[in-house]
Amino acid sequence: MDTPVILKTFHMGKMKEYFVMPGEELHTDLGVIKLDELGTKTFGDTISSHLGVEFIIQKPRAPDFFTHAKRSGAPMMPKDIGVIISNTGLCSTDCVLDAGTGSGILAIYLGGIAKKVVSYEIREDFLELARKNIALCGLSNIELRHGDIAQEIRKIDERFDVVTLDTGAAAQVVPFVPQVIYPDGFLAVYSPFFEHTKEIREAIEKTKYTEVRTIETIERDISFSERGTRPSTARVGHTGFITIARY
Ligand SMILES: C[S@@+](CC[C@H](N)C(=O)[O-])C[C@H]1O[C@@H](n2cnc3c(N)ncnc32)[C@H](O)[C@@H]1O
């Protein structure tokens, strides 16, 4: 194994996990794990710490990259990514145009399904971090491009099935989406604020789309305890609104 792995164990009723690269030693409060032993293991095997605590070895999947990958800023939450995937019907023959790349989390989810993802990021340092995250997850169908999507979209002469925008520049990009999207294609824009969402809706209204809707998804954990089962009382925070338009 020369790719990252998840090491997971249950201790005192709680799950503990580590996202590690095969290498030297991992020091945990449950003992030291010799990571070079991962070379002889496969996913599903266990590895023990010097205190005899067993950790199951798992292959990281997209939600693990959301939890553990290095971040340049706020990545899109899996619940919002799910809304984009389900409402665009993203599939294995699709080519996606994405911006901004950020930590690359949305691109990683999209790349796990689509044929190809082209993702633009204005900041070179963010692009480098995303490049590392994407390399770790082993996807070779994500092409990262450096540039301001508001300018670059004017020069793109490819067509895409799905366009995803998670950047403050989205309203400037929307007018050019019809030039790069196949008829039937979907645009999905993530906006943290009502004001930004309104701006996006107004920009879409000026283009030749066939359908548009804006949704917010509220996710609630269900807590299980001796006293009973109910939605978690932990605060449910707002993330963003997703506007989906079809061309
Ligand atoms: C909220 S983050 C995107 C997070 C990303 N979707 C993810 O899941 O990791 C927004 C990103 O857009 C980038 N950005 C802002 N303006 C941009 C522009 N005009 N062109 C390309 N990227 C831009 C920012 O640098 C930032 O990395």
Side-chain angles (χ1 to χ4, degrees), residues 92-163:
S92 61
T93 54
D94 282 349
C95 292
V96 184
L97 173 64
D98 171 59
T101 314
S103 318
I105 300 302
L106 174 62
I108 287 172
Y109 273 86
L110 300 174
I113 301 173
K115 182 176 167 199
K116 185 180 175 186
V117 178
V118 174
S119 185
Y120 281 83
E121 169 58 50
I122 200 164
R123 284 191 51 170
E124 221 161 347
D125 51 340
F126 287 6
L127 205 63
E128 265 325 294
L129 184 133
R131 204 180 296 287
K132 286 183 187 150
N133 286 341
I134 290 163
L136 283 180
C137 70
L139 288 170
S140 56
N141 60 342
I142 303 176
E143 182 185 334
L144 297 182
R145 295 183 188 169
H146 178 226
D148 174 352
I149 188 63
Q151 299 306 320
E152 297 301 318
I153 194 157
R154 299 158 198 250
K155 305 176 207 158
I156 295 174
D157 64 359
E158 304 145 85
R159 293 245 168 187
F160 299 89
D161 304 279
V162 174
V163 177

Side-chain angles (χ1 to χ4, degrees), residues 47-213:
I47 187 168
S48 297
S49 73
H50 83 290
L51 297 177
V53 178
E54 282 202 334
F55 291 77
I56 188 153
I57 305 165
Q58 291 185 328
K59 184 180 164 126
R61 294 171 64 96
D64 301 307
F65 284 92
F66 171 80
T67 307
H68 297 287
K70 291 214 169 79
R71 296 179 176 193
S72 54
M76 196 180 289
M77 295 278 290
K79 76 174 179 73
D80 296 316
I81 294 173
V83 164
I84 292 178
I85 291 170
S86 57
N87 282 275
T88 60
L90 189 73
C91 68
S92 61
T93 54
D94 282 349
C95 292
V96 184
L97 173 64
D98 171 59
T101 314
S103 318
I105 300 302
L106 174 62
I108 287 172
Y109 273 86
L110 300 174
I113 301 173
K115 182 176 167 199
K116 185 180 175 186
V117 178
V118 174
S119 185
Y120 281 83
E121 169 58 50
I122 200 164
R123 284 191 51 170
E124 221 161 347
D125 51 340
F126 287 6
L127 205 63
E128 265 325 294
L129 184 133
R131 204 180 296 287
K132 286 183 187 150
N133 286 341
I134 290 163
L136 283 180
C137 70
L139 288 170
S140 56
N141 60 342
I142 303 176
E143 182 185 334
L144 297 182
R145 295 183 188 169
H146 178 226
D148 174 352
I149 188 63
Q151 299 306 320
E152 297 301 318
I153 194 157
R154 299 158 198 250
K155 305 176 207 158
I156 295 174
D157 64 359
E158 304 145 85
R159 293 245 168 187
F160 299 89
D161 304 279
V162 174
V163 177
T164 55
L165 300 174
D166 180 8
T167 154
Q172 294 150 255
V173 178
V174 168
F176 301 95
V177 166
Q179 293 174 22
V180 301
I181 203 162
Y182 285 118
D184 289 346
F186 281 96
L187 163 69
V189 186
Y190 178 92
S191 322
F193 297 104
F194 279 121
E195 289 81 358
H196 186 231
T197 308
K198 194 156 178 283
E199 220 188 331
I200 296 300
R201 289 292 297 237
E202 284 167 2
I204 291 172
E205 295 292 337
K206 291 186 187 139
T207 65
K208 244 187 159 185
Y209 66 96
T210 60
E211 298 161 43
V212 64
R213 67 194 283 246

